[in-house]
Each structure stands twice: as C-alpha cells, then as structure tokens.
Amino acid sequence: MRLLVGLGNPGTEHVRNRHNIGFMVVQAIARHYGIAPWRRRFQGVAAEGPIGSDRTLLLLPGTYMNESGRAVGEAAHFFKLGLSDIVVFHDELDLPPGKLRVKIGGGSAGHNGLRSITAHIGNDYRRVRIGIGHPGEKDLVYPYVLSDFAKSERDWVTALCDVIADNAGLLVKDEDASFQNKVHLAMSARGFGEPKESGEPED
C-alpha cells in the first residue's frame, strides 16, 4: 500500500488557495487513474485504488493544515505503513512557481502541515515540494498562501497537476529522480520554464 497525501485546508473558501495545491494534485491523480469514490475516512476524505500494479490510498486531511498529522498518522497506523510508503504533496514558498522537487526528510521550512506530520509519524517520509513562489516579505506570507492563485497562474497550475498525475506511477515505484525529471521536461514542453536534469543538486 502506498499513501499519497495532499495538503490543504477543507472548505469551499480554500479550494483555489495557493496553500491547497497539494489537494489539487491528489485530486488530479484520482481523476487520471479513475480512483473513486471519495469517502469520509481518517479524519478527512480518502479514495483507494490502483496506480499501475500498486495498491494506493489517496488522502485529503480534513483537519486543517496545522493538524494534518492527525489524519496522516491515523491512515499510516491503520495500514501499518512505513515512512517510505508515504508521499506528501505540498506548497513550497522557496521554489519558483511551477517548479518541483522531491526529497526525503529535511526540515519543515515553516510549513505547519509538514511540522504536524513529522510530529505524528517521524520525519523521513517523501515530500513533493510544489513551488508557488514567495511574496517577498515574511509578513506577506500568511495572506499570500491563503489567497487564490491569480488568473495568470492558473494555466501552469492546471498543467502541473496534469503532468504530476501523468507520472504518478513513477512515484509509487520509488523512481523519484525519473519522476522529477519527466515532470520538468513535460512542463518545459508545455512552455513553462526550462527543463532541469534529474542529476541537478537538491535545494
């Protein structure tokens, strides 16, 4: 079993927030692989189905961002998952919009969702860091992440969600470098930035 977690806040007012790009990505994966229905489970909503030959649980915590670890911990405990079986998709202020990095462990960089998950299950789970850019000043971060993507950003957001979903099979096979490289190449082919090689050093 692989657990793919999207981070975000529940409620219609948050659906298009930058902070909810993790939700958007996991919902795109569900659509791409026909994984349904979503059911209330593990203090959120979850859907179970295959990605390729791998049994997969998709989870959107309903606990609000700061308590994401409660939902992730409950699902991980239920299925007796190791940290290497868990992939968390989240917004990343320190990457340019539309860029992506995969890493294992590391700090939370002020991300309360990651901090909560680490407190509940430990640190060495995989993170798919999805760049949303930085507003430039620390005082602007909170309103920035809780505001909707601008109209000018929606094309790359849609493209990135689709490209991640297209290549999610590589993630569940632990082929992180190939996944990262294919996403960057596909985004470049769609006109969003330059491709990055998988051997590029991590941030």
Side-chain angles (χ1 to χ4, degrees), residues 87-90 100-102 126-130 171 179:
V87 181
V88 176
F89 297 86
H90 68 91
L100 174 151
R101 293 287 184 277
V102 183
R126 283 189 288 161
R127 302 107 188 267
V128 179
R129 306 162 62 211
I130 302 165
L171 273 182
F179 167 78

Side-chain angles (χ1 to χ4, degrees), residues 62-73:
T63 52
Y64 288 93
M65 184 69 82
N66 293 5
E67 297 291 339
S68 299
R70 286 167 40 203
V72 177

Side-chain angles (χ1 to χ4, degrees), residues 9 13-14 16-20 65 140-148:
N9 288 309
E13 69 273 28
H14 297 298
R16 294 179 179 83
N17 286 181
R18 293 182 176 91
H19 220 18
N20 272 43
M65 184 69 82
L140 298 177
V141 165
Y142 187 75
Y144 176 76
V145 298
L146 290 179
S147 62
D148 290 354

Side-chain angles (χ1 to χ4, degrees), residues 44-56:
V45 292
E48 190 174 335
I51 293 180
S53 60
D54 292 275
R55 185 178 173 212
T56 309

Side-chain angles (χ1 to χ4, degrees), residues 35-198:
I35 298 175
W38 291 95
R39 294 190 173 97
R40 292 192 180 279
R41 206 175 176 197
F42 306 124
Q43 302 184 52
V45 292
E48 190 174 335
I51 293 180
S53 60
D54 292 275
R55 185 178 173 212
T56 309
L57 182 76
L58 307 182
L59 176 64
L60 306 179
T63 52
Y64 288 93
M65 184 69 82
N66 293 5
E67 297 291 339
S68 299
R70 286 167 40 203
V72 177
E74 188 174 308
H77 178 75
F78 183 87
F79 288 108
K80 299 180 173 60
L81 301 177
L83 293 182
S84 62
D85 298 320
I86 299 169
V87 181
V88 176
F89 297 86
H90 68 91
D91 57 306
E92 176 60 69
L93 288 161
D94 294 331
L95 287 176
K99 298 300 180 185
L100 174 151
R101 293 287 184 277
V102 183
K103 67 181 293 188
I104 298 172
S108 66
H111 196 292
N112 290 330
L114 297 179
R115 183 180 292 118
S116 175
I117 293 170
T118 295
H120 280 81
I121 67 169
N123 194 51
D124 292 332
Y125 52 91
R126 283 189 288 161
R127 302 107 188 267
V128 179
R129 306 162 62 211
I130 302 165
I132 61 168
H134 197 287
E137 296 181 29
K138 188 175 181 181
D139 290 347
L140 298 177
V141 165
Y142 187 75
Y144 176 76
V145 298
L146 290 179
S147 62
D148 290 354
F149 282 107
K151 188 174 182 180
S152 61
E153 297 176 288
R154 291 176 192 166
D155 285 348
W156 74 253
V157 172
T158 299
L160 185 60
C161 288
D162 289 345
V163 167
I164 290 173
D166 288 345
N167 293 283
L170 293 170
L171 273 182
V172 300
K173 294 292 187 187
D174 299 326
E175 297 179 21
D176 295 352
S178 293
F179 167 78
Q180 182 175 291
N181 199 40
K182 283 183 178 293
V183 169
H184 285 140
L185 290 170
M187 287 297 284
S188 179
R190 294 187 183 207
F192 299 104
E194 295 297 318
K196 303 290 184 183
E197 296 301 322
S198 61

